[in-house]
Amino acid sequence: MKAMLLAAGAAALLTAGCGTRTDNGAAPDQAAAAQKITGAGSTFVYPVLAAWSADYAKQTGAAVNYQSIGSGGGVSQIKAGTVDFGATDQPLEPAELAESGLAQFPVVIGGVVPVVNVPGIAPGKLRLTGPVLADIYAGKVKKWNDPAIGTINTGVTLPNADIAVVHRSDGSGTSFNFTHYLSQVSPAWKAGPGEGKSVDWPVGVGGKGNEGVAGYVKQIPNSIGYVEYAYVLQNGMAFAQLQNAAGNFVSPSAESFQAAAASADWKNAKDFFLVMTNAPGANAYPITATTFVLMHRQPKDKARSDAALSFFRWALKDGQGQAQKLDYVPLPADLVGQIEGYIGASIK
Amino acid sequence: MSTPPTAAPRSGAGADRAFELVTAGAAWLVLILLGSIAASMAWGGRLAFETFGWQFIVSREWDAVGGRFGALVPIYGTVVTSFLALLLAVPVSIGIALFLTDIAPRWMRGPIGIAIELLAAIPSIIYGMWGLFVFAPFMAAHVEPWLSEHLGPLPVIGALFVGPPIGIGMLTAGIVLGIMIIPFISTVARDVFNAVPPQLKEAAVALGSTRWEILSRVTLPYTRSAIIGAIFLGLGRALGETMAVTFVLGNAHDLSLSLLMPSNSIAAAIANEFTEADTELYRSSLIALALLLFLVTFLVLTAAKLMLMRIGRVQGRTH
């Protein structure tokens, strides 16, 4: 019960915070005509959405109130019709979208990055393949000097120490993308824990949120975890290179995320139902992820829906520089074109 | 002046009646709230109970992908960490209270008393962050390697101290919880020790008792029921603590005998997973967990009451 109260309190605080900020941003003469757009969902996209809504309010006076309550919450809120848009890190299937009358499109790209804390290993010096990563998280590879890791890391001295595995304790889109990737590269993982926002982890400790996992990995020697790319940069963590589907070892970067987005087959993905993990491009980073926006195809309040759409049109065009500043990766230009066509065709 | 004197008692009786109704209403409100909270949790958790039956309480599985949920690990983690907390907090708190009432020089009592009350005012998230950033690394570097090296090989209790020293787990969570409940137990204990009639202690001194004898034969027997009440107050808080435990317990649905291993607690599991519980069954299982925590707390408090009643009867016989 205490937890529910906490959650309710946090939501109330968030709402209050967003309200005041966007109100201050609006110029007095525009405020009267301003639309109030509400959204809820993914925590991953919250920093960039907050920055976008502040900029957008300054330019147009339209206030966007976004509550980062988690992807699952975003999906149920938009289905219930309490918000103008929802945001989720896990795309919905076209059948589910059709059933609830929703449209879906991506807005921003990020990546999930394995990070390690092994004495003597600098950022980017450790190489991992998908199957080895899956075996570490399954508890099959237990020591850092296991031959499975040694053969792909010739010249790197790895200690004879137990691997301390760190995962997310809360349900999250980050975990979804990570386990989705592991399921693609390891049949054993797919048959065992599987993919989802929270799975039955065979080993390890759970940290709450990206900051919790980052904190654990920094505190625990010989540990491995996975966090969003922005946390790697902000905390200067030792990331590992990952082998992609083309067989190359790539580091996480804006370029390798964009390479993944460009090589993914968006053209044939109905309702953009596509998880970009294990993308085929030669330089594609294998655990690249997108946040999707959900909106009603036939909104009850057309004015508010139109206001939300012009906000996202603006964000996809003018907001990408702001996204880059916050360590997100802009969508490739032809994908933006495809999204604009989709919005025009499917949302009335 | 214009009011006739006879009207005063009549209006007084009315006011009395109204006052009685208001106080009774306040008391009933608590009972109604308690009852409806329990009922709404039972209703919210009915899907989990219907689906899993008794398996929900004895199963150690917690698999959101496969839709199989069992509460054994969170219940175990909650009970073990709270027990560890009591193991640490009870002797320390009673020590603090005795020192403050009987041993410390008068000028020291105020500052130490205030310091302890301030400990109670620290938000639990601060304890959690301290636990994660300061205490867990200390445990990992100094305490846990020693424990697993020296106590790990021993028979029977050795099983409690095996595993990699990562600093995150039931032992660390239990100690942090213990520190959090010390102020609750020690403040109550200090107040009841102060309430022991000085004549009793003076009589004991006159009979040549040592400090230890005064404590064990006069102070503790005299205050036993209040001290047990204070301990259960602390236990109630430890059982329901969320944020601090989430930070240092490891939040892993693993059942392990070793205190160095991560586990999960009911409150931490709910706080962690409620926002993204996207299926009916998942959400229902979390609400069912909440009901179980409610029941565990209720059972603990009932046990405390029964214990107090037994003590009352025993004392009634001997006196």
Side-chain angles (χ1 to χ4, degrees):
Chain A
M1 192 189 70
K2 201 168 168 191
M4 276 194 252
L5 281 177
L6 269 176
L13 277 176
L14 270 174
T15 326
C18 293
T20 36
R21 186 162 57 240
T22 43
D23 287 349
N24 290 344
D29 56 327
Q30 291 165 325
Q35 289 288 345
K36 192 133 179 104
I37 308 160
T38 56
S42 157
T43 48
F44 166 61
V45 79
Y46 175 67
V48 67
L49 261 179
W52 279 345
S53 62
D55 283 3
Y56 191 64
K58 260 183 228 146
Q59 287 185 20
T60 65
V64 179
N65 178 350
Y66 183 72
Q67 300 172 28
S68 59
I69 57 174
S71 295
V75 173
S76 34
Q77 294 288 315
I78 185 70
K79 277 187 180 168
T82 51
V83 289
D84 301 319
F85 69 90
T88 172
D89 299 333
Q90 179 175 9
L92 299 187
E93 285 181 40
E96 192 181 352
L97 289 170
E99 193 184 307
S100 26
L102 292 172
Q104 164 176 275
F105 56 91
V107 280
V108 79
I109 302 174
V112 181
V113 179
V115 286
V116 297
N117 173 2
V118 182
I121 301 287
K125 290 297 169 217
L126 185 75
R127 295 173 149 203
L128 291 173
T129 65
V132 168
L133 190 60
D135 282 350
I136 291 174
Y137 269 84
K140 287 177 198 152
V141 170
K142 289 188 166 67
K143 296 251 182 200
W144 279 111
N145 62 354
D146 191 290
I149 306 176
T151 48
I152 47 176
N153 286 288
T154 42
V156 179
T157 324
L158 287 160
N160 176 22
D162 287 327
I163 303 177
V165 171
V166 183
H167 52 75
R168 286 284 286 269
S169 61
D170 47 340
S172 85
T174 313
S175 289
F176 164 73
N177 283 300
F178 187 71
T179 53
H180 186 271
Y181 170 67
L182 295 185
S183 297
Q184 298 213 341
V185 293
S186 161
W189 184 273
K190 189 170 190 157
E195 62 182 61
K197 282 181 266 194
S198 54
V199 302
D200 190 9
W201 298 99
V203 289
V205 298
K208 182 160 168 51
N210 276 299
E211 59 282 6
V213 172
Y216 276 4
V217 170
K218 282 169 131 184
Q219 305 292 336
I220 304 173
N222 301 311
S223 59
I224 184 169
Y226 61 91
V227 290
E228 295 284 358
Y229 180 55
Y231 286 83
V232 180
L233 295 180
Q234 286 157 12
N235 294 306
M237 303 186 80
F239 59 86
Q241 290 189 26
L242 268 180
Q243 189 181 39
N244 64 15
N248 299 320
F249 285 94
V250 285
S251 295
S253 68
E255 292 75 37
S256 60
F257 297 158
Q258 276 204 318
S263 70
D265 186 15
W266 291 106
K267 293 273 177 292
N268 294 316
K270 187 172 178 344
D271 290 323
F272 299 99
F273 177 67
L274 174 72
V275 183
M276 280 197 292
T277 58
N278 216 23
N283 298 314
Y285 183 75
I287 324 180
T288 306
T290 27
T291 298
F292 297 84
V293 162
L294 299 168
M295 290 182 64
H296 281 285
R297 282 171 193 266
Q298 257 124 16
K300 268 178 255 147
D301 188 340
K302 188 165 159 38
R304 289 169 64 123
S305 172
D306 284 347
L309 279 179
S310 31
F311 169 66
F312 284 116
R313 283 207 183 93
W314 172 87
L316 287 171
K317 209 158 71 43
D318 301 332
Q320 300 294 330
Q322 179 70 267
Q324 265 170 316
K325 261 189 256 163
L326 293 166
D327 304 322
Y328 294 82
V329 180
L331 302 177
D334 51 344
L335 180 57
V336 172
Q338 197 190 337
I339 294 169
E340 278 171 355
Y342 173 84
I343 292 176
S346 54
I347 302 178
K348 294 283 173 288
Chain B
M1 264 224 334
S2 59
T3 320
T6 46
R10 208 177 296 143
S11 77
D16 243 14
R17 181 79 194 131
F19 185 67
E20 198 182 308
L21 280 176
V22 168
T23 49
W28 278 107
L29 182 69
V30 173
L31 280 183
I32 292 167
L33 270 179
L34 199 68
S36 24
I37 288 170
S40 65
M41 283 193 296
W43 181 249
R46 73 192 185 285
L47 185 61
F49 289 123
E50 272 168 20
T51 314
F52 304 111
W54 285 106
Q55 278 297 312
F56 186 71
I57 297 172
V58 294
S59 164
R60 58 203 276 185
E61 203 170 21
W62 189 268
D63 178 0
V65 179
R68 288 184 299 272
F69 299 99
L72 187 62
V73 174
I75 292 177
Y76 177 76
T78 306
V79 171
V80 170
T81 50
S82 301
F83 179 73
L84 284 175
L86 280 190
L87 218 54
L88 170 79
V90 170
V92 172
S93 304
I94 290 183
I96 290 173
L98 282 174
F99 180 76
L100 284 182
T101 51
D102 288 358
I103 298 169
R106 198 158 285 280
W107 61 267
M108 240 167 119
R109 294 179 188 184
I112 293 185
I114 291 169
I116 290 163
E117 278 156 22
L118 279 179
L119 268 185
I122 297 175
S124 60
I125 184 109
I126 305 293
Y127 279 103
M129 293 172 79
W130 171 79
L132 176 60
F133 291 116
V134 181
F135 190 61
F138 172 79
M139 291 288 286
H142 304 292
V143 180
E144 293 188 354
W146 187 91
L147 286 175
S148 55
E149 194 180 317
H150 292 87
L151 301 181
L154 296 180
V156 189
I157 65 158
L160 295 176
F161 301 102
V162 291
I166 54 175
I168 307 272
M170 287 188 276
L171 182 63
T172 309
I175 294 174
V176 171
L177 270 182
I179 295 169
M180 291 180 71
I181 62 174
I182 282 174
F184 293 91
I185 304 180
S186 59
T187 350
V188 177
R190 183 194 57 186
D191 292 346
V192 298
F193 287 168
N194 268 333
V196 176
Q199 298 89 328
L200 289 181
K201 287 190 204 165
E202 283 160 11
V205 173
L207 291 171
S209 300
T210 61
R211 267 195 175 132
W212 169 247
E213 284 164 342
I214 298 173
L215 164 65
S216 60
R217 304 204 183 156
V218 179
T219 310
L220 279 184
Y222 188 83
T223 57
R224 190 161 40 189
S225 58
I227 293 295
I228 289 174
I231 291 171
F232 279 93
L233 186 74
L235 179 59
R237 185 173 155 91
L239 285 171
E241 177 49 44
T242 312
M243 285 325 288
V245 174
T246 300
F247 273 77
V248 292
L249 185 53
N251 306 311
H253 282 279
D254 296 329
L255 194 65
S256 166
L257 200 57
S258 171
L259 299 180
L260 307 190
M261 295 299 278
S263 181
N264 211 337
S265 84
I266 296 178
I270 297 170
N272 271 314
E273 300 178 32
F274 204 76
T275 46
E276 291 286 349
D278 44 9
T279 63
E280 282 292 319
L281 186 60
Y282 195 176
R283 205 172 308 135
S284 173
S285 299
L286 287 171
I287 298 173
L289 267 189
L291 181 68
L292 289 180
L293 179 60
F294 191 80
L295 288 180
V296 169
T297 316
F298 187 75
L299 286 179
V300 163
L301 291 180
T302 313
K305 275 271 175 260
L306 286 177
M307 205 185 281
L308 288 177
M309 277 162 62
R310 230 191 97 243
I311 289 170
R313 273 211 305 279
V314 171
Q315 282 178 342
R317 268 210 305 277
T318 48
H319 283 216

